[in-house]
Amino acid sequence: MMEDEELEFVEDLESILHLTPEVQLAIEQVFPSQDPLDRADFNAVEYINTLFPTEQSLANIDEVVNNIRLKIRKLDDNIRTVVRGQTNVGQDGRQALEEAQKAIQQLFGKIKDIKDKAEKSEQMVKEITRDIKQLDHAKRHLTTSITTLNHLHMLAGGVDSLEAMTRKRQYGEVANLLQGVVNVLEHFQKYMGIPQIRQLSERVKAAQSELGTQILADFEETFPAQGSKKSGGPSIVLRDACLVANVLDPRIKQEIIKKFIRQHLSEYMVLFQENQDVAWLDKIDRRYAWIKRQLVDYEEKYGRMFPEEWCMTERIAVEFCHITRTELTKLMRTRAREIEVKLLLFAIQRTTNFEGLLAKRFSGCTLNDGPGQKKPETPLEPTNPFLEDESGEDNVSEKDDDLDRPKKPKAPDNPFHGIVSKCFEPHLYVYIESQDKNLGELIDRFVADFRAQGPPKSGTDEGGAVLPSCADLFVYYKKCMVQCSQLSTGEPMIALTTIFQKYLREYAWKILSGNLPKTSTNSGGLTISSLLKEKEGSEVAKFTVEELCLICSILSTAEYCLATTLQLEEKLKEKVDKSLMERINLSGEMDTFSTVISNSIQLLVQDLDAACDPALTAMSKMPWQSVEHVGDQSPYVTSVIMHIKQNVPIIRDNLASTRKYFTQFCIKFTNSFIPKFINHLFRCKPISMVGAEQLLLDTHSLKTVLLDLPSIGSQVVRKAPASYTKIVVKGMTRAEMILKVVMAPHEPSVVFVDNYIKLLADSNPETFQKILDMKGLKRSEQSTMLELFRQRLPTPPSGPDGGPSLSFSAPTPEQESSRIRKLEKLIKKRIQ
């Protein structure tokens, strides 16, 4: 029982002494200790084992027990002291709480006393400042009343003076007084309910109305509407009247300006009526000369009468432009049949000169005053190299009087552009039709000149050069485009673009495609005997040197036209309005020139290809079975090389400016010649072992020549393009592999078939059949071989379309070159 009670006591003690980790951590921070007894996870067994690790250590157990008892005694003393010290804590806490409550009550009483005193002070301040506020309000009201009375006195006196000065026409004093009266009257807007104030306001309005009517009458009297020049000129009264008009209703100012300008231009309306000779376009410069004199006369007589901010000189010029545009529109509509292109261009040129003069003289600040007037959009700065500096464009004019026209009538800072010349736009179809006719005649002249001069001569600078007519055409295009853009940037530019497109196509077909040499149908080839005799000069290419130069010249011209047409399209888009840019598209014409280039290259390829055909035919008809020894290259190889050396240097020299098209020619010729050469190889049957070796040597010679084709006959050796070299190596390697298969013994059959599959990588039975024909095998042997070939073919994986697709790895070009070199050494040994 005692043991159970002790266990329960221990458990209760442990549950009491169990602390949370946070409390334990706080204790360790406040009372750090390294004693194992102070640890939260204290284990008595481990602690005893630490004190007595061995049996020998139990000898000092009494000493250890005494130390622990001493420590327990000290701990009990400390606990007893602490417990005794806590007996009076509760009583001291209650006493401190009572003292705190008393202090709070005292503080609350003091705060209440302070609040009462503050309310008393505030009431005292209100009583003190009440009278001061009343005095402030009284002062403010008194000041407002005095100011209002002063304004009323000024208004009343000003109205009286205004009415008196108006009757006496003292406009100088009225101008200053009226503005002051109007300003003072604005202060009485909130007092309009007072009859006296309303009466004064009505008197001011009546005075303003009377002034306006009176000033208009004075101007009407001085400058009669029907307008003979009986007036004595400007007066100080009218000058002051203009100052008064600035203060009056803007309608008065506009009426004065309108009547004065109408009177000033009344003579112009009479002099240049529709029925007058000077009204027609051929004398349009007289209109502009008249307004120049009138503006000078106005500056001398009336320049100081109107305020400077009225811009009367510019207003007169702008109104003149509006009248002129209206009158010219009516006149040209009535006499549209009499308008010729030279007359129209003359009138437009003189008009744009006048508009440029206005831009130099005036700022254009009054343009927005007129109805429907707006400043033209500023064009983009030219960035395309199609047009050079336009400063020299005027030099191409045929008339000496054209030299005075501005270099750029449509300058970005010209707000007057089109103010008169806009009236000519509906009649620009005359100009467009004229350009259509001129371009048609120009194309016909190009055709006639080409026929008269003939094709470019070989050995001259003309061979392969761009045709002069091409440059002439685009120079004329440039002139037309710049001229038309000065006339209009709207629909006429679209119409001109259509004309450009028409004659670009005509130039491409009539001048370029129409003059390409025609290929002849007769072969005119070589005989086998002539090939074997290797008589140089017995073979003639289908095209002469002059014809080759002509083809190259047409190709270069088409390439120039292609590039320049692209620049022309960009420049047209710069010149035309932004809303019409999408309608300019010369891609069809550029495609036409690309077709001419492609046809020219194809003609050059066909010519050289056809020249090599007789040699290949002779190769296929030679008795290769009876060849007894391997010698130098065969005569047909010499013939092919001769034709290549004859044609290629001429083509290369004449296409020096268009190198990329010469590369295309080489690639197309190679793509045409190599398959044809392989087809003729299959026709060489039967072939002996020696004959196959000779053909292999010939094939290697042709491969070498084809690899050097781009620089053949040139003093400057250039490395051929990688794309071209790849085509030659791939094609000629196949020809060499065919001959190697032919040279291989057909016994045993399995080895022969495997060797064929490895070298040629061709699963077509027809190709294998041709190889067997070249070896001269009998039909029975060929049947066996073909059956074996079909059996030995590896089964390829199905392609995406479900059909079989074979792919064999061919030997690399380096391996083949090594094999060819070995074969050449073998042939040389046999020859020796």
Side-chain angles (χ1 to χ4, degrees):
M1 290 294 293
M2 292 182 65
E3 291 179 356
D4 294 339
E5 292 177 357
E6 290 178 359
L7 289 174
E8 291 177 0
F9 174 77
V10 171
E11 291 176 358
D12 294 340
L13 184 61
E14 287 180 353
S15 62
I16 293 173
L17 295 178
H18 181 71
L19 303 175
T20 62
E22 292 79 5
V23 175
Q24 187 66 37
L25 180 62
I27 293 174
E28 291 179 356
Q29 292 177 352
V30 177
F31 303 105
S33 174
Q34 298 298 329
D35 193 345
L37 295 174
D38 294 332
R39 294 179 60 182
D41 56 347
F42 173 74
N43 191 319
V45 176
E46 291 181 359
Y47 182 69
I48 293 173
N49 290 335
T50 303
L51 294 177
F52 307 104
T54 60
E55 292 182 2
Q56 290 77 7
S57 60
L58 293 174
N60 57 350
I61 187 173
D62 295 334
E63 182 180 356
V64 173
V65 170
N66 291 331
N67 291 334
I68 291 176
R69 288 177 177 174
L70 179 61
K71 185 179 293 186
I72 291 173
R73 190 179 299 114
K74 291 181 179 179
L75 186 60
D76 290 339
D77 293 340
N78 291 336
I79 292 172
R80 189 179 302 110
T81 303
V82 171
V83 171
R84 290 175 179 175
Q86 293 296 323
T87 54
N88 297 328
V89 170
Q91 184 177 357
D92 294 340
R94 285 190 295 272
Q95 184 178 356
L97 179 60
E98 293 175 357
E99 293 177 357
Q101 290 175 347
K102 291 179 180 180
I104 290 173
Q105 291 177 355
Q106 293 176 359
L107 180 61
F108 180 76
K110 292 180 179 179
I111 292 173
K112 186 177 181 181
D113 293 341
I114 294 173
K115 183 178 179 182
D116 294 339
K117 291 180 181 179
E119 291 177 352
K120 293 180 181 180
S121 299
E122 182 180 2
Q123 186 65 29
M124 187 182 300
V125 170
K126 286 182 179 181
E127 293 176 357
I128 295 173
T129 59
R130 183 181 297 114
D131 297 336
I132 298 176
K133 287 183 179 180
Q134 291 178 354
L135 292 175
D136 286 341
H137 287 301
K139 179 182 178 181
R140 188 180 305 111
H141 294 160
L142 182 61
T143 303
T144 302
S145 300
I146 294 173
T147 304
T148 303
L149 288 175
N150 288 334
H151 286 166
L152 182 61
H153 177 71
M154 293 169 58
L155 180 61
V159 170
D160 294 338
S161 301
L162 183 63
E163 292 174 343
M165 292 176 183
T166 300
R167 289 190 294 269
K168 296 179 182 180
R169 284 183 166 78
Q170 297 176 352
Y171 295 130
E173 292 78 2
V174 168
N176 297 325
L177 179 60
L178 179 59
Q179 184 64 54
V181 170
V182 171
N183 293 338
V184 171
L185 187 60
E186 291 179 356
H187 295 283
F188 291 93
Q189 291 298 323
K190 55 186 177 181
Y191 303 116
M192 285 301 169
I194 302 174
Q196 292 80 1
I197 301 298
R198 185 169 58 252
Q199 183 180 2
L200 287 175
S201 176
E202 292 174 354
R203 289 175 61 187
V204 171
K205 291 180 180 178
Q208 288 178 324
S209 177
E210 183 180 355
L211 277 171
T213 305
Q214 189 171 296
I215 290 172
L216 289 176
D218 291 343
F219 270 94
E220 184 69 26
E221 180 181 354
T222 307
F223 304 104
Q226 300 300 325
S228 61
K229 293 188 177 180
K230 63 180 182 179
S231 61
S235 64
I236 299 177
V237 174
L238 293 182
R239 184 187 64 187
D240 295 339
C242 292
L243 298 177
V244 175
N246 269 337
V247 185
L248 296 176
D249 188 349
R251 181 184 57 82
I252 304 298
K253 171 185 171 182
Q254 295 298 330
E255 189 68 21
I256 294 173
I257 293 174
K258 181 179 178 181
K259 288 185 176 181
F260 180 81
I261 293 177
R262 183 170 62 245
Q263 187 275 338
H264 212 69
L265 296 178
S266 59
E267 180 184 355
Y268 174 72
M269 300 294 293
V270 175
L271 291 176
F272 294 91
Q273 289 181 357
E274 293 186 19
N275 56 357
Q276 300 295 326
D277 292 338
V278 294
W280 189 229
L281 300 181
D282 57 346
K283 297 181 178 61
I284 194 172
D285 46 357
R286 295 192 182 183
R287 295 175 180 264
Y288 305 132
W290 183 88
I291 190 60
K292 290 177 185 177
R293 293 193 302 269
Q294 291 298 315
L295 292 179
V296 172
D297 181 68
Y298 165 82
E299 291 287 350
E300 292 177 353
K301 292 184 178 181
Y302 308 106
R304 298 184 179 180
M305 186 176 74
F306 294 98
E308 184 177 354
E309 63 270 15
W310 285 22
C311 303
M312 286 299 294
T313 309
E314 180 177 332
R315 291 180 185 276
I316 294 172
V318 169
E319 184 63 23
F320 166 82
C321 292
H322 293 162
I323 295 174
T324 302
R325 184 174 66 184
T326 303
E327 294 299 319
L328 287 177
T329 300
K330 296 178 183 178
L331 189 62
M332 287 189 292
R333 187 184 304 116
T334 305
R335 305 172 62 178
R337 295 183 179 181
E338 302 179 31
I339 300 177
E340 299 177 354
V341 63
K342 291 184 178 180
L343 180 62
L344 181 65
L345 292 179
F346 170 78
I348 293 175
Q349 176 191 339
R350 290 294 186 264
T351 302
T352 52
N353 286 346
F354 177 70
E355 292 172 351
L357 183 63
L358 292 180
K360 293 180 181 179
R361 175 65 178 81
F362 304 115
S363 63
C365 61
T366 64
L367 288 176
N368 292 330
D369 292 348
Q373 296 295 321
K374 60 180 181 180
K375 295 185 179 181
E377 294 183 358
T378 301
L380 297 175
E381 290 293 331
T383 58
N384 192 274
F386 179 74
L387 288 179
E388 301 88 2
D389 185 8
E390 296 181 1
S391 60
E393 290 173 358
D394 299 335
N395 296 332
V396 301
S397 178
E398 298 178 358
K399 296 184 179 181
D400 294 335
D401 55 351
D402 286 351
L403 296 176
D404 61 344
R405 83 181 191 186
K407 295 178 181 178
K408 294 184 179 180
K410 189 183 177 182
D413 56 348
N414 184 1
F416 295 93
H417 176 74
I419 190 171
V420 179
S421 58
K422 199 74 174 177
C423 65
F424 298 109
E425 187 167 323
H427 303 277
L428 285 179
Y429 68 89
V430 178
Y431 172 78
I432 301 300
E433 291 173 356
S434 172
Q435 297 307 321
D436 189 3
K437 180 181 177 182
N438 293 342
L439 283 170
E441 294 174 354
L442 187 65
I443 294 295
D444 293 339
R445 180 166 63 84
F446 289 161
V447 174
D449 292 346
F450 191 91
R451 291 174 180 174
Q453 297 174 4
K457 307 299 181 184
S458 61
T460 65
D461 294 337
E462 296 179 3
V466 176
L467 296 178
S469 60
C470 175
D472 294 341
L473 178 66
F474 281 102
V475 167
Y476 190 82
Y477 273 9
K478 181 178 89 170
K479 178 182 176 183
C480 293
M481 179 184 64
V482 174
Q483 196 173 45
C484 186
S485 65
Q486 294 171 353
L487 308 180
S488 172
T489 58
E491 288 295 335
M493 283 291 289
I494 302 300
L496 184 66
T497 301
T498 304
I499 299 298
F500 285 173
Q501 291 175 301
K502 172 184 175 182
Y503 288 102
L504 282 174
R505 292 191 296 269
E506 287 201 11
Y507 186 85
W509 297 123
K510 289 185 177 180
I511 308 298
L512 301 182
S513 294
N515 289 305
L516 284 174
K518 303 298 186 294
T519 56
S520 56
T521 56
N522 56 347
S523 61
L526 301 174
T527 62
I528 299 177
S529 59
S530 65
L531 271 175
L532 296 176
K533 291 179 182 179
E534 296 185 33
K535 292 182 179 180
E536 294 186 5
S538 61
E539 305 175 57
V540 180
K542 289 186 177 183
F543 291 148
T544 62
V545 176
E546 287 76 14
E547 290 174 330
L548 290 176
C549 292
L550 173 61
I551 296 173
C552 294
S553 180
I554 290 175
L555 192 153
S556 300
T557 303
E559 192 270 341
Y560 173 82
C561 291
L562 178 62
T564 313
T565 301
L566 176 61
Q567 296 175 353
L568 174 64
E569 180 185 26
E570 294 174 354
K571 182 51 66 176
L572 284 170
K573 289 182 178 180
E574 289 182 11
K575 295 290 185 181
V576 79
D577 292 338
K578 291 183 179 180
S579 59
L580 302 176
M581 286 177 59
E582 297 299 327
R583 295 173 59 182
I584 295 180
N585 185 1
L586 303 183
S587 59
E589 288 65 38
M590 288 186 276
D591 292 341
T592 301
F593 289 117
S594 298
T595 303
V596 174
I597 292 173
S598 178
N599 292 342
S600 301
I601 295 176
Q602 191 61 34
L603 277 178
L604 296 174
V605 171
Q606 289 177 358
D607 176 62
L608 183 55
D609 208 18
C612 297
D613 278 347
L616 297 179
T617 302
M619 175 194 77
S620 63
K621 294 182 179 181
M622 288 181 64
W624 294 105
Q625 190 176 17
S626 59
V627 177
E628 297 179 353
H629 62 275
V630 178
D632 294 334
Q633 62 187 23
S634 301
Y636 75 89
V637 176
T638 304
S639 177
V640 171
I641 295 175
M642 179 187 68
H643 286 298
I644 290 176
K645 289 184 177 180
Q646 284 178 351
N647 283 27
V648 173
I650 297 173
I651 297 172
R652 182 183 59 244
D653 294 341
N654 284 281
L655 295 181
S657 60
T658 55
R659 189 74 185 176
K660 61 179 180 179
Y661 294 117
F662 174 70
T663 302
Q664 288 186 20
F665 159 75
C666 294
I667 292 175
K668 288 188 176 182
F669 170 73
T670 303
N671 283 330
S672 175
F673 176 80
I674 292 178
K676 187 178 294 185
F677 173 73
I678 292 176
N679 288 334
H680 281 80
L681 271 183
F682 286 133
R683 298 177 187 176
C684 298
K685 53 186 179 181
I687 303 176
S688 64
M689 177 66 69
V690 179
E693 291 178 355
Q694 180 65 49
L695 278 172
L696 188 58
L697 179 61
D698 295 341
T699 301
H700 181 66
S701 299
L702 288 175
K703 179 180 179 181
T704 303
V705 171
L706 290 176
L707 287 173
D708 296 335
L709 182 68
S711 60
I712 193 168
S714 175
Q715 296 179 353
V716 180
V717 179
R718 290 185 179 180
K719 186 178 180 181
S723 58
Y724 171 78
T725 303
K726 182 178 180 181
I727 293 172
V728 173
V729 170
K730 182 178 179 181
M732 296 306 290
T733 299
R734 175 174 172 77
E736 291 171 349
M737 293 301 104
I738 291 173
L739 293 173
K740 285 189 176 185
V741 173
V742 173
M743 291 168 58
H746 61 279
E747 294 293 345
S749 302
V750 176
V751 176
F752 176 77
V753 171
D754 291 343
N755 191 34
Y756 169 83
I757 294 174
K758 178 181 179 182
L759 292 177
L760 281 184
D762 191 342
S763 62
N764 191 352
E766 294 181 1
T767 305
F768 187 67
Q769 177 75 49
K770 293 177 182 179
I771 297 292
L772 298 180
D773 290 339
M774 292 174 70
K775 291 182 68 66
L777 297 181
K778 297 178 181 180
R779 289 298 175 184
S780 58
E781 295 177 330
Q782 290 185 12
S783 300
T784 305
M785 286 285 191
L786 283 171
E787 185 63 28
L788 181 60
F789 171 73
R790 294 188 180 94
Q791 295 176 0
R792 300 294 293 178
L793 280 176
T795 303
S798 298
D801 55 354
S805 57
L806 293 183
S807 176
F808 301 100
S809 59
T812 62
E814 292 77 7
Q815 295 173 345
E816 294 306 320
S817 299
S818 176
R819 294 177 181 177
I820 294 297
R821 285 194 294 271
K822 293 179 181 179
L823 180 61
E824 288 177 346
K825 292 179 181 179
L826 178 61
I827 293 173
K828 290 179 181 179
K829 289 181 181 180
R830 291 189 178 183
I831 293 175
Q832 294 175 357

